[in-house]
Amino acid sequence: MDATPTVIEAQPRETGSSAARAIRQNNEVPCILYGKDTDPVPFKVPIPRMNKLIFGRRSPVIEVQMDGDAWTCILKDFDLHPLTERPQHADFQVLREGRKVTLTVPLRFQGIPEGQKNGGDTQYIVREMTISVLPSNIPAELEVDVTDLEIGDSIHVYDLDVDYEIKMAPQQTLVTVVAPHLEPVLVEEEEAEELAEEEEEMAEEGEMAEEGEEGEGGPQPGQAPGEVPPEA
């Protein structure tokens, strides 16, 4: 296998809802492992150990050891408390050589895009990928080189050259580099300010013109207001 198994020491447990509740109250997680040729095996794991499996970037391949037995598995499913996010239950699927398994692995993007160096904004759309693969080829992660991406470039699922069956739409975008975001020029506000200034100037010119007209048609020196001036 490409991924080195993570080893966990498990303890056998009783089944049933009351037993599971008691296990959770003791800061442990009730688990079960199963496989096509394996009878279900219930066990329990301390919460800190389970947190590392769920939230840590560790190998997807896990070796469960208990009472001298060992099973090579993947963490197939788990339940978290809706408020505390404490693990409530976990399912482990036993791997068998020659039989494909479907699992989710993280993506690791390598390099800094050329477009980002030129001011672009790199947007990582997908952080993990679901694949179907033989146990001997399970990767710890999938590497995606983004170094050559220019502004406007993207990498899609169909661009990947891998030996795995990818359980995602081929046109799904994984990462893209977009043009830098520029603040829009407030053209309308600038035009409104210019129009207001022009109207103010026109109003001032109108007032000056009115004052000039009043000066020309006003009473002559020595003439009372309202008196008609004598004809020349």
Side-chain angles (χ1 to χ4, degrees):
M1 296 181 185
D2 292 348
T4 302
T6 297
V7 178
I8 61 171
E9 294 287 345
Q11 297 295 326
R13 70 173 178 91
E14 297 181 359
T15 59
S17 57
S18 59
R21 185 163 49 252
I23 290 171
R24 296 187 187 99
Q25 291 174 349
N26 195 39
N27 290 324
E28 295 175 311
V29 183
C31 307
I32 192 166
L33 65 80
Y34 56 84
K36 188 172 183 179
D37 302 321
T38 304
D39 293 332
V41 178
F43 62 96
K44 58 185 178 181
V45 175
I47 283 182
R49 189 59 172 153
M50 184 59 63
N51 282 337
K52 290 183 179 180
L53 292 179
I54 295 174
F55 302 111
R57 293 181 60 88
R58 293 175 174 268
S59 169
V61 181
I62 301 161
E63 183 176 297
V64 178
Q65 298 180 353
M66 183 174 65
D67 293 341
D69 293 321
W71 299 266
T72 302
C73 312
I74 60 169
L75 178 60
K76 188 65 176 180
D77 195 15
F78 57 86
D79 296 324
L80 301 178
H81 191 280
L83 297 179
T84 64
E85 290 194 343
R86 286 165 60 98
Q88 300 295 291
H89 187 272
D91 293 350
F92 292 77
Q93 181 179 349
V94 178
L95 301 178
R96 287 290 180 264
E97 286 298 330
R99 184 174 296 162
K100 283 188 175 182
V101 62
T102 299
L103 73 161
T104 300
V105 294
L107 294 178
R108 183 163 68 91
F109 297 98
Q110 289 185 313
I112 300 176
E114 286 296 322
Q116 179 175 324
K117 295 178 182 179
N118 294 326
D121 180 23
T122 304
Q123 298 181 356
Y124 299 98
I125 311 299
V126 176
R127 295 285 185 174
E128 60 184 19
M129 180 172 292
T130 301
I131 63 174
S132 180
V133 62
L134 291 172
S136 58
N137 293 330
I138 293 178
E141 59 189 5
L142 295 179
E143 298 180 354
V144 180
D145 189 355
V146 299
T147 306
D148 295 332
L149 291 183
E150 300 284 355
I151 293 176
D153 290 346
S154 301
I155 295 178
H156 305 83
V157 169
Y158 59 71
D159 294 315
L160 300 181
D161 183 15
V162 295
D163 296 329
Y164 321 115
E165 180 184 352
I166 300 176
K167 298 293 188 177
M168 297 177 68
Q171 65 273 20
Q172 171 66 54
T173 301
L174 305 179
V175 56
T176 184
V177 181
V178 299
H181 177 70
L182 301 177
E183 293 296 331
V185 178
L186 303 180
V187 177
E188 294 181 359
E189 293 186 7
E190 292 181 356
E191 291 179 350
E193 292 178 0
E194 292 177 359
L195 182 59
E197 292 177 359
E198 291 177 0
E199 291 177 349
E200 186 177 349
E201 292 177 358
M202 292 175 62
E204 292 177 355
E205 292 176 357
E207 292 176 0
M208 294 176 62
E210 290 177 1
E211 292 177 357
E213 291 175 0
E214 290 177 357
E216 293 176 0
Q220 301 294 323
Q223 178 184 346
E227 183 180 350
V228 178
E231 295 180 2

